[in-house]
Amino acid sequence: VFRLSLLPRTVIPRLCKYKSLWAVLVVYAVTATLTRLGYEIDGPHPEETLEIRSSFVAFIIVFFVGYCYKRHEEQFDDVQCIMNSITTVCKLARANFQDAGEVYRIWRYVNAMHCAAYCGLTAHLTEANFFMPLSAKHGLLGSKTVLKVESDAVRKIGIDANGVRASTMFEVRLTLASAVQRSTSAGAARQPAGIPKVPRSPRSTDRSFSYASQIWAMEVIRDECIRCKTPAPIQAMLQKEVSEIGHHIKKLFGYRYSVLPFIYTHLVSSLSTFYLFVTAFLKGLHFGPGVPVVMGLVLPLIGLLIAVLSTFGLVEVGSTILDPFGDEPEDFALTHFVEHAVGVSREAIEIQACSKRGAYAELYSPEEIRAAFVVLKSLIRRFRWRQIVEAARKSALLRGAEADLLVA
């Protein structure tokens, strides 16, 4: 509480920029000065009336801050669900797909979805300072030819202005694979006859390239599920987890563009300001002629400052946590979230395969087990040769007996 080094991170420097705060202090100073000079205000003391209105204002402020905190918590839960779903997708792919290259592709696409979403959510994170550096650091866009193709696709989509669309591009590449049918030998999807082509909008990106980029990873899950004969429940679980990533990303965008109505925020701020004006006026009335400075001026001023800090401070805190996707210290550490998800999911796909040894694995080393299998194979061969020799002897004896019977 008393560490001055943390003072710049508190709410006090922000409140010092409030013009209404200084206006409240001016009202207190003017009222205290006039009261000290002997100007009396006729009428009953309005302390009781203020007490009723102060409880109403406190209820409004607490309700506002409670809503902001609930919204902040829901957005944090969505971010955590995205990270957990990324790890789950990578674990399922690692356990069920045989091609390590395709598992790596799935890892790249789900983490690229995560990284691209934050560029569209915030103004300070862009494709140039966030997505491309992280992609280059962790290889989210592949290498060589793949890097060029996917980088061009990202630039055509425009992550900064269409972050949710870029995330959907990576999502569709992963989730819709089971629904996409094989194309012709040329690799191009043909449009059914009788359906007119939709003209391109001049403001849209290249639709054909967008469709092609979506199909890139759509076929990842589909092809691997067909090639590895993955059970349908596993495929459905993979698609569900990838869809959950896209669902929570869309929820974050929904929060971003679902702002509080101005009429509500104006009501909260105006009532808080008027309440503090009245409080400052009543506190200044205590400094009458002959009243000690400590009891009539200092203590009421401390009470006024507490009221100002609690009222304006809670409103400022609520406004800060309402939108946690910014560059303030209280906002989400988005870079840490992305790199944590990238690291954990990468560890999931690089886990060493489990051994196929049986219950005796704890008793013998792999070399001993291999030697035992060699001995066992030699014993099986000797046993089979003995069976063959014994069968040949019996056959010879039977042929000899038949010949003796014919001679007799």
Side-chain angles (χ1 to χ4, degrees):
V1 177
F2 299 102
R3 293 176 60 182
L4 296 179
S5 59
L6 298 179
L7 184 63
R9 297 183 57 182
T10 63
V11 74
I12 296 177
R14 302 183 186 183
L15 295 185
C16 292
K17 300 178 182 178
Y18 279 33
K19 297 180 180 179
S20 54
L21 183 145
W22 299 106
V24 169
L25 296 179
V26 168
V27 170
Y28 173 75
V30 171
T31 305
T33 302
L34 294 177
T35 305
R36 189 69 172 182
L37 294 177
Y39 292 94
E40 296 182 359
I41 300 178
D42 298 332
H45 206 276
E47 290 284 353
E48 297 79 6
T49 305
L50 177 65
E51 183 179 355
I52 299 175
R53 283 152 180 77
S54 63
S55 60
F56 178 71
V57 173
F59 170 77
I60 292 179
I61 294 176
V62 170
F63 181 81
F64 171 74
V65 177
Y67 171 78
C68 295
Y69 180 78
K70 180 182 177 182
R71 181 164 169 169
H72 180 275
E73 186 178 11
E74 290 176 350
Q75 293 180 80
F76 182 77
D77 291 340
D78 288 329
V79 172
Q80 294 298 312
C81 289
I82 292 172
M83 298 167 63
N84 295 334
S85 296
I86 289 174
T87 306
T88 304
V89 168
C90 293
K91 288 190 294 186
L92 288 173
R94 166 65 181 79
N96 295 279
F97 293 165
Q98 298 175 359
D99 191 343
E102 297 303 286
V103 175
Y104 176 69
R105 270 217 296 170
I106 292 177
W107 171 82
R108 290 196 297 107
Y109 288 144
V110 293
N111 283 283
M113 287 173 59
H114 189 199
C115 187
Y118 295 144
C119 293
L121 279 171
T122 62
H124 68 285
L125 297 180
T126 62
E127 178 184 345
N129 65 15
F130 187 75
F131 182 81
M132 297 308 294
L134 286 176
S135 299
K137 178 180 179 181
H138 301 287
L140 299 183
L141 295 179
S143 58
K144 298 182 179 178
T145 305
V146 177
L147 174 62
K148 182 179 183 304
V149 172
E150 295 186 354
S151 299
D152 292 341
V154 169
R155 291 189 180 93
K156 288 187 177 182
I157 288 294
I159 287 181
D160 296 339
N162 301 291
V164 67
R165 186 179 177 188
S167 300
T168 304
M169 177 184 69
F170 293 111
E171 176 190 356
V172 173
R173 293 180 184 181
L174 289 165
T175 59
L176 216 57
S178 59
V180 177
Q181 300 298 324
R182 279 292 186 183
S183 58
T184 60
S185 58
R190 294 184 301 178
Q191 185 174 355
I195 301 179
K197 293 184 177 180
V198 179
R200 297 180 182 179
S201 171
R203 300 179 61 182
S204 65
T205 56
D206 189 353
R207 289 184 179 272
S208 60
F209 189 85
S210 176
Y211 292 156
S213 64
Q214 292 173 2
I215 294 174
W216 288 344
M218 288 180 186
E219 296 180 345
V220 173
I221 292 178
R222 183 198 65 183
D223 290 347
E224 283 302 297
C225 289
I226 294 175
R227 191 173 66 86
C228 302
K229 297 181 180 180
T230 305
I234 300 297
Q235 183 179 357
M237 190 179 300
L238 271 167
Q239 294 177 352
K240 178 179 179 297
E241 291 296 333
V242 177
S243 298
E244 283 294 317
I245 299 175
H247 170 68
H248 289 289
I249 288 176
K250 292 178 180 65
K251 285 184 65 178
L252 292 179
F253 275 88
Y255 283 121
R256 178 68 174 174
Y257 297 107
S258 176
V259 297
L260 287 177
F262 173 76
I263 189 173
Y264 176 69
T265 56
H266 179 265
L267 175 66
V268 173
S269 60
S270 60
L271 285 179
S272 303
T273 304
F274 291 145
Y275 162 71
L276 291 176
F277 279 152
V278 176
T279 303
F281 175 77
L282 295 179
K283 295 292 185 182
L285 295 178
H286 290 84
F287 194 47
V291 179
V293 176
V294 175
M295 299 301 296
L297 183 65
V298 178
L299 290 181
L301 178 60
I302 294 175
L304 177 63
L305 291 177
I306 293 175
V308 169
L309 288 176
S310 60
T311 304
F312 283 157
L314 286 175
V315 173
E316 178 64 25
V317 168
S319 301
T320 301
I321 65 177
L322 185 63
D323 182 15
F325 295 98
D327 55 354
E328 298 175 347
E330 296 80 12
D331 294 327
F332 291 159
L334 301 180
T335 304
H336 170 72
F337 288 163
V338 172
E339 294 200 329
H340 176 75
V342 168
V344 173
S345 58
R346 184 63 180 266
E347 291 176 359
I349 66 173
E350 293 180 348
I351 293 177
Q352 184 179 359
C354 63
S355 175
K356 295 182 180 180
R357 293 176 289 167
Y360 48 79
E362 298 180 357
L363 303 176
Y364 303 98
S365 65
E367 292 77 11
E368 293 173 335
I369 294 175
R370 284 194 294 269
F373 276 117
V374 172
V375 174
L376 180 62
K377 289 179 180 179
S378 65
L379 292 175
I380 292 174
R381 284 196 299 269
R382 290 176 62 183
F383 176 74
R384 289 176 178 174
W385 275 112
R386 287 178 182 178
Q387 285 185 327
I388 293 172
V389 171
E390 188 68 25
R393 287 177 181 178
K394 290 182 180 181
S395 177
L397 290 174
L398 289 175
R399 286 195 300 269
E402 291 177 356
D404 294 341
L405 289 174
L406 291 175
V407 171

